[in-house]
Structure formats: C-alpha cells, structure tokens
Amino acid sequence: SQQGEEDPQALSIQEGENATMNCSYKTSINNLQWYRQNSGRGLVHLILIRSNEREKHSGRLRVTLDTSKKSSSLLITASRAADTASYFCATDAGGGADGLTFGKGTHLIIQP
Amino acid sequence: EAGVAQSPRYKIIEKRQSVAFWCNPISGHATLYWYQQILGQGPKLLIQFQNNGVVDDSQLPKDRFSAERLKGVDSTLKIQPAKLEDSAVYLCASSLEGLRTQYFGPGTRLLVL
C-alpha cells in the first residue's frame, strides 16, 4: 500500500522558477526521504529528514517536515531543465525493517 | 565506486512462464531490498535482506515470488508462474547497515504477455 501521497501529481514551470511539491503520509515515521527518478539516472536519493527535524537544506533543495500534520514539502529553487523528473517521498517506520514506503510521485517538467 | 548492478535490463515473457532477476549490491552493503514499481506508481517493497537473512517479506506474494541472498552478497528474485499484473520494473537497492539512504540499481523492466 502507498504511505505517501504527493501533490500535485504533475507540475510544469519555467526554467529559473521555484518548484514546490508536497507529501502527506498516514502513519508515524522515523525518517522521511525524497528521491528523484528519471530515465537517465534511475532512482536517486536527494535528502533525508528525521522525525525530530523541521527543516533541512541541501544545495537548491529545501525540505520541511510537520509531523503533527503528517506532511512534508520539497522546494527546488532556481529550477533547471535537468530537474525534469518524477519526485517521490518515502518513509520508514524505523527499527530493523526499514524498507521504504513510497508515494505515487510528482512529475515535474521544467520548460526551457 | 560501482553502483548496484542488475540484470537483465529488459525481459519479455508469456504468462505462466517463470523469470529470474539478479542483483549485485554495492560492495560492503549488508542490507538489500527488492521493490516492484508498476507504471505510474511509486516503488513497493517486496523483500528486505540483512546479510543473508530475511528481515521483511510481508508484501512478497509468496505463492509465486521467491527471493534468496546466498552468501549475503548477490540476490535473485524469481517469479513462477508469472501473471499479466506482474508487468513492472523490479528495482534492487542496497544500504549500509544502520544508515537509511538506499542506493538503487537501474531496474529490470518486465513485460508479461
């Protein structure tokens, strides 16, 4: 079953604009991660935020986590054509069984 | 550093046939995962290994799917017999023990006719 639901399902913006994607999840989590998937490089880890963190930055990426609302957002600033991809949030419940539960993803298209 | 290797990259079979996928994780990664990704959806965990032991196989359809990780390195995922709904990309991932970041292979795209 899917844990997370990304919103929107698809997003098209102009190069240089900022892109924001949201993720909601259902059960308690240990960590939340964001992954990117495109045909060229497969599924790639972007950033991990722990359940006791509220915000994290990595380069042009900014992730927030609100455990009270069971939601997270991913902001990509100054978008580039190479950012065109599907973006997934994924959660794990902690403990030894840390397989990820993914959402359905947001398909981001950056128009040149 | 070499990434996660998977083979074959593509496979077309007819329903009721059997198929096997192979995965070689990143050297030193004790944890190995198999995911199924149906078109338009996110990956779904099938099974997690820690070394050569199974940690979680709660979502593995055990009547037709099996997986093994002999010697705690390479892993094989098998489907027997295949159904039309098994058409998907099968992704293998690995991680260092105790760390949550997973590294994914390129996947095997399976089409069942």
Side-chain angles (χ1 to χ4, degrees), chain B residues 5 9 14 19 29 39 41 44 49 51 54 56-57 59 62 66 70 74 76 85 93 103 105 108-109:
Chain B
R9 294 294 308 276
E14 296 189 348
V19 64
H29 283 198
L39 186 64
Q41 298 183 19
K44 184 184 88 170
F49 291 95
N51 296 306
V54 175
D56 181 4
D57 63 356
Q59 299 189 88
K62 299 179 186 63
S66 64
L70 301 176
D74 293 7
T76 302
E85 58 261 37
Y103 297 85
T108 296
R109 189 175 299 273

Side-chain angles (χ1 to χ4, degrees), chain A residues 22-56:
Chain A
N22 302 296
C23 164
S24 60
Y25 56 91
K26 299 174 184 175
T27 61
S28 296
I29 63 169
N30 188 44
N31 302 286
L32 186 143
Q33 304 182 47
W34 284 89
Y35 284 80
R36 179 182 67 213
Q37 186 175 42
N38 59 33
S39 57
R41 293 197 59 196
L43 200 62
V44 175
H45 175 263
L46 295 177
I47 194 166
L48 178 151
I49 186 166
R50 304 185 191 285
S51 59
N52 61 355
E53 296 178 311
R54 293 296 168 258
E55 187 171 313
K56 202 161 183 180

Side-chain angles (χ1 to χ4, degrees), chain B residues 3 6 8 17 22 27 32 37 49 51 60 62 73 76-77 93-94 96-98 102-103 105 112:
Chain B
Q6 290 188 248
Q17 286 187 326
W22 173 83
S27 178
L32 185 147
Q37 185 175 21
F49 291 95
N51 296 306
L60 187 73
K62 299 179 186 63
V73 181
T76 302
L77 176 69
S94 68
L96 280 169
E97 188 172 356
Q102 297 184 19
Y103 297 85
V112 182

